[in-house]
């Protein structure tokens, strides 16, 4: 019953923008810290951002600071990741996940996030 569904990915040229959505069902998203992750082919999954609904923090990996902004809409039980000034190295499958900890994890260990979306592909290419 608990689900997270990402959407909004696609093909965009360098310098372009996309907004990813993470819509939750089966739980109230605002009660949890939510992580945004990405995984590129041949690379390990990395944390892109953590939205600290529990601890009030926001974390962005250095490579996206100033370009990506996370936000939420409680009425829609959804979180968003606005991605601007996209670069080819941003190409990856992007996931959202529900956190299990009080702190906003930067690491994404299995015990820190218990439910994951299916992912949405972001491709940045000219």
């Amino acid at each position: 019953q608990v689900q997270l569904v990402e959407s909004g990915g696609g093909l965009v040229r360098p310098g372009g923008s996309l907004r990813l959505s993470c819509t939750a069902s089966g739980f109230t998203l605002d009660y949890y810290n939510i992580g945004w992750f990405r995984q590129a082919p041949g690379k390990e999954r990395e944390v892109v951002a953590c939205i600290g609904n529990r601890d009030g923090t926001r974390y962005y990996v250095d490579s996206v600071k100033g370009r990506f902004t996370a936000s939420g809409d409680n009425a829609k039980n959804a979180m968003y990741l606005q991605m601007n000034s996209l670069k080819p190295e941003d190409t990856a499958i992007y996931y959202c996940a529900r956190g299990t900890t009080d702190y906003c994890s930067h690491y994404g260990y299995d015990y820190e996030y218990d439910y994951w979306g299916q992912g949405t592909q972001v491709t940045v290419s000219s």
Side-chain angles (χ1 to χ4, degrees), residues 75-113:
K76 296 182 178 179
N77 206 26
M79 302 293 294
Y80 306 99
L81 186 67
Q82 179 67 44
M83 307 187 298
N84 298 326
S85 301
L86 284 162
K87 304 175 181 179
E89 52 263 43
D90 295 318
T91 296
I93 301 174
Y94 283 72
Y95 303 87
C96 60
R98 188 179 80 170
T100 64
T101 58
D102 291 334
Y103 59 90
C104 201
S105 174
H106 302 180
Y107 306 103
Y109 295 118
D110 288 346
Y111 73 89
E112 294 178 318
Y113 295 91

PDB file of all heavy atoms in Angstrom, residues 75-113:
ATOM      1  N   ALA A  75      -0.833  19.238   0.462  1.00  0.00           N
ATOM      2  CA  ALA A  75      -2.175  18.948  -0.027  1.00  0.00           C
ATOM      3  C   ALA A  75      -2.168  17.829  -1.059  1.00  0.00           C
ATOM      4  O   ALA A  75      -3.122  17.061  -1.166  1.00  0.00           O
ATOM      5  CB  ALA A  75      -2.815  20.200  -0.604  1.00  0.00           C
ATOM      6  N   LYS A  76      -1.096  17.757  -1.835  1.00  0.00           N
ATOM      7  CA  LYS A  76      -0.972  16.725  -2.853  1.00  0.00           C
ATOM      8  C   LYS A  76      -0.160  15.526  -2.386  1.00  0.00           C
ATOM      9  O   LYS A  76       0.007  14.575  -3.148  1.00  0.00           O
ATOM     10  CB  LYS A  76      -0.344  17.312  -4.114  1.00  0.00           C
ATOM     11  CG  LYS A  76      -1.191  18.383  -4.773  1.00  0.00           C
ATOM     12  CD  LYS A  76      -0.533  18.902  -6.043  1.00  0.00           C
ATOM     13  CE  LYS A  76      -1.401  19.939  -6.721  1.00  0.00           C
ATOM     14  NZ  LYS A  76      -0.779  20.468  -7.951  1.00  0.00           N
ATOM     15  N   ASN A  77       0.346  15.587  -1.152  1.00  0.00           N
ATOM     16  CA  ASN A  77       1.184  14.524  -0.611  1.00  0.00           C
ATOM     17  C   ASN A  77       2.334  14.226  -1.566  1.00  0.00           C
ATOM     18  O   ASN A  77       2.611  13.073  -1.909  1.00  0.00           O
ATOM     19  CB  ASN A  77       0.372  13.256  -0.340  1.00  0.00           C
ATOM     20  CG  ASN A  77       0.979  12.378   0.743  1.00  0.00           C
ATOM     21  OD1 ASN A  77       1.692  12.853   1.627  1.00  0.00           O
ATOM     22  ND2 ASN A  77       0.686  11.083   0.685  1.00  0.00           N
ATOM     23  N   ALA A  78       2.994  15.287  -1.982  1.00  0.00           N
ATOM     24  CA  ALA A  78       4.024  15.167  -3.001  1.00  0.00           C
ATOM     25  C   ALA A  78       5.228  16.034  -2.665  1.00  0.00           C
ATOM     26  O   ALA A  78       5.121  17.055  -1.983  1.00  0.00           O
ATOM     27  CB  ALA A  78       3.478  15.560  -4.369  1.00  0.00           C
ATOM     28  N   MET A  79       6.371  15.604  -3.160  1.00  0.00           N
ATOM     29  CA  MET A  79       7.597  16.370  -3.114  1.00  0.00           C
ATOM     30  C   MET A  79       8.065  16.603  -4.543  1.00  0.00           C
ATOM     31  O   MET A  79       7.744  15.830  -5.450  1.00  0.00           O
ATOM     32  CB  MET A  79       8.678  15.642  -2.326  1.00  0.00           C
ATOM     33  CG  MET A  79       8.318  15.313  -0.887  1.00  0.00           C
ATOM     34  SD  MET A  79       8.147  16.769   0.171  1.00  0.00           S
ATOM     35  CE  MET A  79       9.825  17.384   0.181  1.00  0.00           C
ATOM     36  N   TYR A  80       8.844  17.659  -4.714  1.00  0.00           N
ATOM     37  CA  TYR A  80       9.315  18.024  -6.039  1.00  0.00           C
ATOM     38  C   TYR A  80      10.806  18.308  -5.995  1.00  0.00           C
ATOM     39  O   TYR A  80      11.356  18.718  -4.972  1.00  0.00           O
ATOM     40  CB  TYR A  80       8.583  19.265  -6.554  1.00  0.00           C
ATOM     41  CG  TYR A  80       7.088  19.111  -6.525  1.00  0.00           C
ATOM     42  CD1 TYR A  80       6.337  19.648  -5.481  1.00  0.00           C
ATOM     43  CD2 TYR A  80       6.423  18.411  -7.522  1.00  0.00           C
ATOM     44  CE1 TYR A  80       4.970  19.495  -5.441  1.00  0.00           C
ATOM     45  CE2 TYR A  80       5.051  18.254  -7.489  1.00  0.00           C
ATOM     46  CZ  TYR A  80       4.334  18.798  -6.445  1.00  0.00           C
ATOM     47  OH  TYR A  80       2.971  18.639  -6.417  1.00  0.00           O
ATOM     48  N   LEU A  81      11.437  18.096  -7.103  1.00  0.00           N
ATOM     49  CA  LEU A  81      12.834  18.460  -7.277  1.00  0.00           C
ATOM     50  C   LEU A  81      12.939  19.274  -8.557  1.00  0.00           C
ATOM     51  O   LEU A  81      12.838  18.726  -9.660  1.00  0.00           O
ATOM     52  CB  LEU A  81      13.735  17.225  -7.348  1.00  0.00           C
ATOM     53  CG  LEU A  81      15.231  17.504  -7.381  1.00  0.00           C
ATOM     54  CD1 LEU A  81      15.701  18.100  -6.055  1.00  0.00           C
ATOM     55  CD2 LEU A  81      16.017  16.232  -7.696  1.00  0.00           C
ATOM     56  N   GLN A  82      13.097  20.579  -8.390  1.00  0.00           N
ATOM     57  CA  GLN A  82      13.282  21.467  -9.525  1.00  0.00           C
ATOM     58  C   GLN A  82      14.753  21.456  -9.901  1.00  0.00           C
ATOM     59  O   GLN A  82      15.606  21.777  -9.076  1.00  0.00           O
ATOM     60  CB  GLN A  82      12.834  22.886  -9.174  1.00  0.00           C
ATOM     61  CG  GLN A  82      13.020  23.897 -10.297  1.00  0.00           C
ATOM     62  CD  GLN A  82      12.136  23.634 -11.480  1.00  0.00           C
ATOM     63  OE1 GLN A  82      10.954  23.350 -11.329  1.00  0.00           O
ATOM     64  NE2 GLN A  82      12.701  23.716 -12.684  1.00  0.00           N
ATOM     65  N   MET A  83      15.040  21.097 -11.124  1.00  0.00           N
ATOM     66  CA  MET A  83      16.406  20.961 -11.597  1.00  0.00           C
ATOM     67  C   MET A  83      16.638  21.974 -12.710  1.00  0.00           C
ATOM     68  O   MET A  83      16.022  21.891 -13.777  1.00  0.00           O
ATOM     69  CB  MET A  83      16.672  19.542 -12.096  1.00  0.00           C
ATOM     70  CG  MET A  83      16.314  18.462 -11.075  1.00  0.00           C
ATOM     71  SD  MET A  83      16.829  16.805 -11.588  1.00  0.00           S
ATOM     72  CE  MET A  83      15.860  16.626 -13.082  1.00  0.00           C
ATOM     73  N   ASN A  84      17.507  22.920 -12.446  1.00  0.00           N
ATOM     74  CA  ASN A  84      17.841  23.957 -13.409  1.00  0.00           C
ATOM     75  C   ASN A  84      19.296  23.826 -13.834  1.00  0.00           C
ATOM     76  O   ASN A  84      20.101  23.164 -13.179  1.00  0.00           O
ATOM     77  CB  ASN A  84      17.605  25.343 -12.810  1.00  0.00           C
ATOM     78  CG  ASN A  84      16.169  25.589 -12.430  1.00  0.00           C
ATOM     79  OD1 ASN A  84      15.244  25.108 -13.082  1.00  0.00           O
ATOM     80  ND2 ASN A  84      15.958  26.355 -11.362  1.00  0.00           N
ATOM     81  N   SER A  85      19.619  24.488 -14.918  1.00  0.00           N
ATOM     82  CA  SER A  85      20.999  24.504 -15.428  1.00  0.00           C
ATOM     83  C   SER A  85      21.568  23.101 -15.523  1.00  0.00           C
ATOM     84  O   SER A  85      22.688  22.823 -15.089  1.00  0.00           O
ATOM     85  CB  SER A  85      21.879  25.392 -14.535  1.00  0.00           C
ATOM     86  OG  SER A  85      21.389  26.712 -14.486  1.00  0.00           O
ATOM     87  N   LEU A  86      20.796  22.217 -16.102  1.00  0.00           N
ATOM     88  CA  LEU A  86      21.182  20.818 -16.145  1.00  0.00           C
ATOM     89  C   LEU A  86      22.426  20.592 -16.986  1.00  0.00           C
ATOM     90  O   LEU A  86      22.636  21.255 -17.996  1.00  0.00           O
ATOM     91  CB  LEU A  86      20.027  19.976 -16.665  1.00  0.00           C
ATOM     92  CG  LEU A  86      18.915  19.747 -15.642  1.00  0.00           C
ATOM     93  CD1 LEU A  86      17.630  19.313 -16.323  1.00  0.00           C
ATOM     94  CD2 LEU A  86      19.354  18.706 -14.611  1.00  0.00           C
ATOM     95  N   LYS A  87      23.208  19.647 -16.535  1.00  0.00           N
ATOM     96  CA  LYS A  87      24.462  19.286 -17.173  1.00  0.00           C
ATOM     97  C   LYS A  87      24.408  17.828 -17.621  1.00  0.00           C
ATOM     98  O   LYS A  87      23.671  17.032 -17.050  1.00  0.00           O
ATOM     99  CB  LYS A  87      25.628  19.465 -16.192  1.00  0.00           C
ATOM    100  CG  LYS A  87      25.745  20.854 -15.596  1.00  0.00           C
ATOM    101  CD  LYS A  87      26.839  20.895 -14.545  1.00  0.00           C
ATOM    102  CE  LYS A  87      26.960  22.267 -13.922  1.00  0.00           C
ATOM    103  NZ  LYS A  87      28.011  22.300 -12.874  1.00  0.00           N
ATOM    104  N   PRO A  88      25.199  17.453 -18.617  1.00  0.00           N
ATOM    105  CA  PRO A  88      25.216  16.045 -19.029  1.00  0.00           C
ATOM    106  C   PRO A  88      25.501  15.086 -17.884  1.00  0.00           C
ATOM    107  O   PRO A  88      24.951  13.979 -17.870  1.00  0.00           O
ATOM    108  CB  PRO A  88      26.327  16.005 -20.081  1.00  0.00           C
ATOM    109  CG  PRO A  88      26.307  17.370 -20.672  1.00  0.00           C
ATOM    110  CD  PRO A  88      26.004  18.294 -19.518  1.00  0.00           C
ATOM    111  N   GLU A  89      26.325  15.493 -16.933  1.00  0.00           N
ATOM    112  CA  GLU A  89      26.636  14.623 -15.814  1.00  0.00           C
ATOM    113  C   GLU A  89      25.473  14.433 -14.851  1.00  0.00           C
ATOM    114  O   GLU A  89      25.561  13.621 -13.926  1.00  0.00           O
ATOM    115  CB  GLU A  89      27.872  15.122 -15.053  1.00  0.00           C
ATOM    116  CG  GLU A  89      27.809  16.579 -14.645  1.00  0.00           C
ATOM    117  CD  GLU A  89      28.527  17.503 -15.619  1.00  0.00           C
ATOM    118  OE1 GLU A  89      28.372  17.316 -16.840  1.00  0.00           O
ATOM    119  OE2 GLU A  89      29.246  18.415 -15.158  1.00  0.00           O
ATOM    120  N   ASP A  90      24.388  15.172 -15.042  1.00  0.00           N
ATOM    121  CA  ASP A  90      23.175  14.944 -14.268  1.00  0.00           C
ATOM    122  C   ASP A  90      22.356  13.780 -14.812  1.00  0.00           C
ATOM    123  O   ASP A  90      21.363  13.385 -14.188  1.00  0.00           O
ATOM    124  CB  ASP A  90      22.302  16.200 -14.243  1.00  0.00           C
ATOM    125  CG  ASP A  90      22.950  17.367 -13.528  1.00  0.00           C
ATOM    126  OD1 ASP A  90      23.564  17.148 -12.465  1.00  0.00           O
ATOM    127  OD2 ASP A  90      22.832  18.504 -14.032  1.00  0.00           O
ATOM    128  N   THR A  91      22.738  13.252 -15.951  1.00  0.00           N
ATOM    129  CA  THR A  91      22.019  12.137 -16.546  1.00  0.00           C
ATOM    130  C   THR A  91      22.042  10.934 -15.610  1.00  0.00           C
ATOM    131  O   THR A  91      23.101  10.471 -15.202  1.00  0.00           O
ATOM    132  CB  THR A  91      22.629  11.762 -17.900  1.00  0.00           C
ATOM    133  OG1 THR A  91      22.466  12.856 -18.815  1.00  0.00           O
ATOM    134  CG2 THR A  91      21.959  10.530 -18.484  1.00  0.00           C
ATOM    135  N   ALA A  92      20.871  10.443 -15.272  1.00  0.00           N
ATOM    136  CA  ALA A  92      20.749   9.334 -14.331  1.00  0.00           C
ATOM    137  C   ALA A  92      19.285   8.977 -14.184  1.00  0.00           C
ATOM    138  O   ALA A  92      18.403   9.697 -14.656  1.00  0.00           O
ATOM    139  CB  ALA A  92      21.321   9.714 -12.959  1.00  0.00           C
ATOM    140  N   ILE A  93      19.047   7.864 -13.527  1.00  0.00           N
ATOM    141  CA  ILE A  93      17.710   7.567 -13.046  1.00  0.00           C
ATOM    142  C   ILE A  93      17.580   8.194 -11.664  1.00  0.00           C
ATOM    143  O   ILE A  93      18.441   8.001 -10.808  1.00  0.00           O
ATOM    144  CB  ILE A  93      17.443   6.052 -12.972  1.00  0.00           C
ATOM    145  CG1 ILE A  93      17.607   5.421 -14.354  1.00  0.00           C
ATOM    146  CG2 ILE A  93      16.040   5.783 -12.446  1.00  0.00           C
ATOM    147  CD1 ILE A  93      17.494   3.905 -14.343  1.00  0.00           C
ATOM    148  N   TYR A  94      16.520   8.932 -11.465  1.00  0.00           N
ATOM    149  CA  TYR A  94      16.295   9.638 -10.213  1.00  0.00           C
ATOM    150  C   TYR A  94      15.199   8.949  -9.416  1.00  0.00           C
ATOM    151  O   TYR A  94      14.157   8.557  -9.963  1.00  0.00           O
ATOM    152  CB  TYR A  94      15.907  11.091 -10.481  1.00  0.00           C
ATOM    153  CG  TYR A  94      17.084  11.953 -10.869  1.00  0.00           C
ATOM    154  CD1 TYR A  94      17.682  11.816 -12.114  1.00  0.00           C
ATOM    155  CD2 TYR A  94      17.606  12.893  -9.978  1.00  0.00           C
ATOM    156  CE1 TYR A  94      18.777  12.589 -12.465  1.00  0.00           C
ATOM    157  CE2 TYR A  94      18.692  13.678 -10.328  1.00  0.00           C
ATOM    158  CZ  TYR A  94      19.275  13.521 -11.568  1.00  0.00           C
ATOM    159  OH  TYR A  94      20.365  14.295 -11.918  1.00  0.00           O
ATOM    160  N   TYR A  95      15.444   8.808  -8.133  1.00  0.00           N
ATOM    161  CA  TYR A  95      14.537   8.127  -7.225  1.00  0.00           C
ATOM    162  C   TYR A  95      14.215   9.018  -6.037  1.00  0.00           C
ATOM    163  O   TYR A  95      15.047   9.809  -5.599  1.00  0.00           O
ATOM    164  CB  TYR A  95      15.163   6.846  -6.664  1.00  0.00           C
ATOM    165  CG  TYR A  95      15.610   5.836  -7.680  1.00  0.00           C
ATOM    166  CD1 TYR A  95      16.876   5.912  -8.249  1.00  0.00           C
ATOM    167  CD2 TYR A  95      14.780   4.791  -8.054  1.00  0.00           C
ATOM    168  CE1 TYR A  95      17.298   4.973  -9.176  1.00  0.00           C
ATOM    169  CE2 TYR A  95      15.195   3.851  -8.972  1.00  0.00           C
ATOM    170  CZ  TYR A  95      16.457   3.946  -9.528  1.00  0.00           C
ATOM    171  OH  TYR A  95      16.875   3.006 -10.439  1.00  0.00           O
ATOM    172  N   CYS A  96      13.031   8.855  -5.483  1.00  0.00           N
ATOM    173  CA  CYS A  96      12.750   9.387  -4.163  1.00  0.00           C
ATOM    174  C   CYS A  96      12.550   8.222  -3.210  1.00  0.00           C
ATOM    175  O   CYS A  96      12.209   7.112  -3.616  1.00  0.00           O
ATOM    176  CB  CYS A  96      11.532  10.315  -4.161  1.00  0.00           C
ATOM    177  SG  CYS A  96       9.966   9.578  -4.688  1.00  0.00           S
ATOM    178  N   ALA A  97      12.804   8.480  -1.941  1.00  0.00           N
ATOM    179  CA  ALA A  97      12.724   7.427  -0.941  1.00  0.00           C
ATOM    180  C   ALA A  97      12.278   8.005   0.394  1.00  0.00           C
ATOM    181  O   ALA A  97      12.571   9.163   0.713  1.00  0.00           O
ATOM    182  CB  ALA A  97      14.076   6.727  -0.781  1.00  0.00           C
ATOM    183  N   ARG A  98      11.605   7.186   1.174  1.00  0.00           N
ATOM    184  CA  ARG A  98      11.126   7.580   2.492  1.00  0.00           C
ATOM    185  C   ARG A  98      12.163   7.272   3.545  1.00  0.00           C
ATOM    186  O   ARG A  98      12.628   6.133   3.655  1.00  0.00           O
ATOM    187  CB  ARG A  98       9.821   6.852   2.824  1.00  0.00           C
ATOM    188  CG  ARG A  98       9.168   7.349   4.101  1.00  0.00           C
ATOM    189  CD  ARG A  98       7.864   6.629   4.383  1.00  0.00           C
ATOM    190  NE  ARG A  98       8.070   5.321   4.985  1.00  0.00           N
ATOM    191  CZ  ARG A  98       7.100   4.572   5.508  1.00  0.00           C
ATOM    192  NH1 ARG A  98       5.831   5.019   5.480  1.00  0.00           N
ATOM    193  NH2 ARG A  98       7.371   3.388   6.031  1.00  0.00           N
ATOM    194  N   GLY A  99      12.517   8.271   4.328  1.00  0.00           N
ATOM    195  CA  GLY A  99      13.495   8.098   5.376  1.00  0.00           C
ATOM    196  C   GLY A  99      12.904   7.475   6.619  1.00  0.00           C
ATOM    197  O   GLY A  99      11.719   7.633   6.921  1.00  0.00           O
ATOM    198  N   THR A 100      13.738   6.768   7.354  1.00  0.00           N
ATOM    199  CA  THR A 100      13.338   6.125   8.602  1.00  0.00           C
ATOM    200  C   THR A 100      13.935   6.792   9.825  1.00  0.00           C
ATOM    201  O   THR A 100      13.577   6.423  10.949  1.00  0.00           O
ATOM    202  CB  THR A 100      13.759   4.647   8.610  1.00  0.00           C
ATOM    203  OG1 THR A 100      15.186   4.551   8.573  1.00  0.00           O
ATOM    204  CG2 THR A 100      13.179   3.906   7.412  1.00  0.00           C
ATOM    205  N   THR A 101      14.814   7.752   9.650  1.00  0.00           N
ATOM    206  CA  THR A 101      15.562   8.344  10.742  1.00  0.00           C
ATOM    207  C   THR A 101      15.082   9.751  11.052  1.00  0.00           C
ATOM    208  O   THR A 101      14.444  10.417  10.233  1.00  0.00           O
ATOM    209  CB  THR A 101      17.061   8.380  10.418  1.00  0.00           C
ATOM    210  OG1 THR A 101      17.270   9.112   9.204  1.00  0.00           O
ATOM    211  CG2 THR A 101      17.600   6.965  10.237  1.00  0.00           C
ATOM    212  N   ASP A 102      15.412  10.205  12.261  1.00  0.00           N
ATOM    213  CA  ASP A 102      15.057  11.563  12.657  1.00  0.00           C
ATOM    214  C   ASP A 102      15.921  12.597  11.956  1.00  0.00           C
ATOM    215  O   ASP A 102      15.465  13.709  11.678  1.00  0.00           O
ATOM    216  CB  ASP A 102      15.196  11.726  14.174  1.00  0.00           C
ATOM    217  CG  ASP A 102      14.168  10.944  14.952  1.00  0.00           C
ATOM    218  OD1 ASP A 102      13.078  10.684  14.411  1.00  0.00           O
ATOM    219  OD2 ASP A 102      14.450  10.595  16.119  1.00  0.00           O
ATOM    220  N   TYR A 103      17.154  12.237  11.678  1.00  0.00           N
ATOM    221  CA  TYR A 103      18.051  13.139  10.981  1.00  0.00           C
ATOM    222  C   TYR A 103      17.874  12.974   9.476  1.00  0.00           C
ATOM    223  O   TYR A 103      17.358  11.965   8.993  1.00  0.00           O
ATOM    224  CB  TYR A 103      19.509  12.860  11.369  1.00  0.00           C
ATOM    225  CG  TYR A 103      19.968  11.456  11.064  1.00  0.00           C
ATOM    226  CD1 TYR A 103      20.540  11.140   9.841  1.00  0.00           C
ATOM    227  CD2 TYR A 103      19.808  10.442  12.002  1.00  0.00           C
ATOM    228  CE1 TYR A 103      20.953   9.855   9.558  1.00  0.00           C
ATOM    229  CE2 TYR A 103      20.212   9.147  11.726  1.00  0.00           C
ATOM    230  CZ  TYR A 103      20.792   8.860  10.498  1.00  0.00           C
ATOM    231  OH  TYR A 103      21.197   7.581  10.224  1.00  0.00           O
ATOM    232  N   CYS A 104      18.325  13.943   8.741  1.00  0.00           N
ATOM    233  CA  CYS A 104      18.230  13.916   7.286  1.00  0.00           C
ATOM    234  C   CYS A 104      19.497  13.273   6.746  1.00  0.00           C
ATOM    235  O   CYS A 104      20.550  13.910   6.662  1.00  0.00           O
ATOM    236  CB  CYS A 104      18.055  15.325   6.734  1.00  0.00           C
ATOM    237  SG  CYS A 104      17.354  15.394   5.074  1.00  0.00           S
ATOM    238  N   SER A 105      19.395  12.007   6.379  1.00  0.00           N
ATOM    239  CA  SER A 105      20.559  11.240   5.973  1.00  0.00           C
ATOM    240  C   SER A 105      21.137  11.725   4.663  1.00  0.00           C
ATOM    241  O   SER A 105      20.412  12.015   3.706  1.00  0.00           O
ATOM    242  CB  SER A 105      20.206   9.759   5.846  1.00  0.00           C
ATOM    243  OG  SER A 105      21.298   9.029   5.327  1.00  0.00           O
ATOM    244  N   HIS A 106      22.465  11.781   4.615  1.00  0.00           N
ATOM    245  CA  HIS A 106      23.190  12.122   3.396  1.00  0.00           C
ATOM    246  C   HIS A 106      23.713  10.882   2.690  1.00  0.00           C
ATOM    247  O   HIS A 106      24.364  11.011   1.648  1.00  0.00           O
ATOM    248  CB  HIS A 106      24.383  13.018   3.719  1.00  0.00           C
ATOM    249  CG  HIS A 106      24.027  14.287   4.421  1.00  0.00           C
ATOM    250  ND1 HIS A 106      24.986  15.212   4.786  1.00  0.00           N
ATOM    251  CD2 HIS A 106      22.837  14.800   4.821  1.00  0.00           C
ATOM    252  CE1 HIS A 106      24.394  16.238   5.379  1.00  0.00           C
ATOM    253  NE2 HIS A 106      23.095  16.010   5.418  1.00  0.00           N
ATOM    254  N   TYR A 107      23.439   9.700   3.220  1.00  0.00           N
ATOM    255  CA  TYR A 107      24.157   8.512   2.793  1.00  0.00           C
ATOM    256  C   TYR A 107      23.295   7.441   2.145  1.00  0.00           C
ATOM    257  O   TYR A 107      23.773   6.680   1.317  1.00  0.00           O
ATOM    258  CB  TYR A 107      24.928   7.924   3.983  1.00  0.00           C
ATOM    259  CG  TYR A 107      25.810   8.955   4.632  1.00  0.00           C
ATOM    260  CD1 TYR A 107      25.451   9.556   5.830  1.00  0.00           C
ATOM    261  CD2 TYR A 107      26.988   9.367   4.011  1.00  0.00           C
ATOM    262  CE1 TYR A 107      26.249  10.532   6.413  1.00  0.00           C
ATOM    263  CE2 TYR A 107      27.788  10.341   4.584  1.00  0.00           C
ATOM    264  CZ  TYR A 107      27.412  10.915   5.782  1.00  0.00           C
ATOM    265  OH  TYR A 107      28.207  11.892   6.354  1.00  0.00           O
ATOM    266  N   GLY A 108      22.042   7.329   2.525  1.00  0.00           N
ATOM    267  CA  GLY A 108      21.151   6.394   1.866  1.00  0.00           C
ATOM    268  C   GLY A 108      21.393   4.935   2.193  1.00  0.00           C
ATOM    269  O   GLY A 108      21.164   4.072   1.339  1.00  0.00           O
ATOM    270  N   TYR A 109      21.847   4.643   3.388  1.00  0.00           N
ATOM    271  CA  TYR A 109      21.961   3.247   3.809  1.00  0.00           C
ATOM    272  C   TYR A 109      20.593   2.596   3.837  1.00  0.00           C
ATOM    273  O   TYR A 109      19.566   3.260   4.010  1.00  0.00           O
ATOM    274  CB  TYR A 109      22.619   3.144   5.176  1.00  0.00           C
ATOM    275  CG  TYR A 109      24.050   3.613   5.217  1.00  0.00           C
ATOM    276  CD1 TYR A 109      24.419   4.687   6.018  1.00  0.00           C
ATOM    277  CD2 TYR A 109      25.028   2.988   4.459  1.00  0.00           C
ATOM    278  CE1 TYR A 109      25.734   5.120   6.068  1.00  0.00           C
ATOM    279  CE2 TYR A 109      26.347   3.415   4.496  1.00  0.00           C
ATOM    280  CZ  TYR A 109      26.694   4.481   5.307  1.00  0.00           C
ATOM    281  OH  TYR A 109      27.993   4.913   5.350  1.00  0.00           O
ATOM    282  N   ASP A 110      20.575   1.284   3.683  1.00  0.00           N
ATOM    283  CA  ASP A 110      19.317   0.557   3.608  1.00  0.00           C
ATOM    284  C   ASP A 110      18.428   0.792   4.821  1.00  0.00           C
ATOM    285  O   ASP A 110      17.206   0.874   4.691  1.00  0.00           O
ATOM    286  CB  ASP A 110      19.570  -0.944   3.441  1.00  0.00           C
ATOM    287  CG  ASP A 110      20.079  -1.307   2.066  1.00  0.00           C
ATOM    288  OD1 ASP A 110      19.991  -0.471   1.148  1.00  0.00           O
ATOM    289  OD2 ASP A 110      20.557  -2.446   1.904  1.00  0.00           O
ATOM    290  N   TYR A 111      19.043   0.914   5.984  1.00  0.00           N
ATOM    291  CA  TYR A 111      18.239   1.107   7.183  1.00  0.00           C
ATOM    292  C   TYR A 111      17.698   2.522   7.292  1.00  0.00           C
ATOM    293  O   TYR A 111      16.796   2.776   8.101  1.00  0.00           O
ATOM    294  CB  TYR A 111      19.044   0.757   8.441  1.00  0.00           C
ATOM    295  CG  TYR A 111      20.105   1.760   8.824  1.00  0.00           C
ATOM    296  CD1 TYR A 111      19.799   2.834   9.661  1.00  0.00           C
ATOM    297  CD2 TYR A 111      21.406   1.639   8.377  1.00  0.00           C
ATOM    298  CE1 TYR A 111      20.768   3.754  10.033  1.00  0.00           C
ATOM    299  CE2 TYR A 111      22.385   2.554   8.734  1.00  0.00           C
ATOM    300  CZ  TYR A 111      22.062   3.615   9.561  1.00  0.00           C
ATOM    301  OH  TYR A 111      23.015   4.532   9.925  1.00  0.00           O
ATOM    302  N   GLU A 112      18.225   3.442   6.507  1.00  0.00           N
ATOM    303  CA  GLU A 112      17.823   4.840   6.576  1.00  0.00           C
ATOM    304  C   GLU A 112      16.636   5.173   5.676  1.00  0.00           C
ATOM    305  O   GLU A 112      15.967   6.179   5.903  1.00  0.00           O
ATOM    306  CB  GLU A 112      19.002   5.738   6.222  1.00  0.00           C
ATOM    307  CG  GLU A 112      20.136   5.683   7.237  1.00  0.00           C
ATOM    308  CD  GLU A 112      21.307   6.552   6.839  1.00  0.00           C
ATOM    309  OE1 GLU A 112      21.674   6.560   5.650  1.00  0.00           O
ATOM    310  OE2 GLU A 112      21.862   7.234   7.731  1.00  0.00           O
ATOM    311  N   TYR A 113      16.389   4.366   4.671  1.00  0.00           N
ATOM    312  CA  TYR A 113      15.284   4.583   3.738  1.00  0.00           C
ATOM    313  C   TYR A 113      14.605   3.255   3.479  1.00  0.00           C
ATOM    314  O   TYR A 113      15.255   2.291   3.079  1.00  0.00           O
ATOM    315  CB  TYR A 113      15.784   5.204   2.428  1.00  0.00           C
ATOM    316  CG  TYR A 113      16.349   6.588   2.610  1.00  0.00           C
ATOM    317  CD1 TYR A 113      17.697   6.780   2.863  1.00  0.00           C
ATOM    318  CD2 TYR A 113      15.514   7.701   2.543  1.00  0.00           C
ATOM    319  CE1 TYR A 113      18.212   8.057   3.048  1.00  0.00           C
ATOM    320  CE2 TYR A 113      16.019   8.975   2.724  1.00  0.00           C
ATOM    321  CZ  TYR A 113      17.372   9.150   2.975  1.00  0.00           C
ATOM    322  OH  TYR A 113      17.873  10.416   3.158  1.00  0.00           O
TER     323      TYR A 113
END
